[in-house]
Amino acid sequence: MENKLIFNLFTVSILLLAFSQTLKAQSGTVTISADSKINEFLMLKKDLEKENKLSDGYTIQLYYGELNKANSIIRNYRAAYSTWPASIEYETPNYKVWAGNFATRLEADRALMEIQEEFGGAFILEKKK
């Protein structure tokens, strides 16, 4: 019985010694080397998303027609609203004026209610990539 107790104590001691070595933390430094163009691409992506170019979701169409009128509409919109970005999109042979970049229909509906006070013909479009 005493031999078994000594053997168990010896085994536990060896195991504790072995695990204490693996539990020791190692210190080190990590150096990340990245191409400088990654930040440029991230900024470009962010700009494109602001301009309604990349993401799925919803936008509000203010106008569909000729370029001079589209330019006039977008100037009037930008003078009245700074909350949501606006852009002119070309679809042969007409131009569209889009406002906002909304992730959900609810966000688009809320904005539409406000925008329709100034642009009565505005409506929501669901965008697809």
Side-chain angles (χ1 to χ4, degrees), residues 46-116:
K46 186 176 178 182
D47 290 341
L48 289 173
E49 286 175 345
K50 281 183 183 176
E51 296 173 9
N52 303 327
K53 305 283 188 203
L54 290 181
S55 63
D56 286 342
Y58 300 89
T59 191
I60 297 172
Q61 184 165 308
L62 305 175
Y63 175 75
Y64 184 84
E66 56 103 13
L67 180 59
N68 290 334
K69 180 75 172 170
N71 283 325
S72 174
I73 295 286
I74 201 167
R75 275 194 302 274
N76 292 340
Y77 171 81
R78 287 180 175 159
Y81 302 97
S82 61
T83 309
W84 307 286
S87 63
I88 295 178
E89 305 297 323
Y90 180 68
E91 183 179 281
T92 307
N94 294 305
Y95 294 84
K96 300 176 184 180
V97 178
W98 285 355
N101 187 17
F102 307 99
T104 66
R105 178 68 189 225
L106 181 60
E107 290 174 321
D109 283 334
R110 288 178 179 157
L112 181 64
M113 288 172 56
E114 188 174 331
I115 290 171
Q116 277 185 329

Side-chain angles (χ1 to χ4, degrees), residues 1 5-6 9-10 12-13 20 23 26 28 30 34 56 68-69 74 77 80 82 86 89 97 100 115 120 125 127-128:
M1 178 88 164
L5 180 62
I6 293 173
L9 286 174
F10 179 74
V12 169
S13 299
S20 68
L23 294 177
Q26 297 178 1
V30 175
D56 286 342
N68 290 334
K69 180 75 172 170
I74 201 167
Y77 171 81
S82 61
E89 305 297 323
V97 178
I115 290 171
L125 287 176
K127 296 187 314 180
K128 300 286 183 193

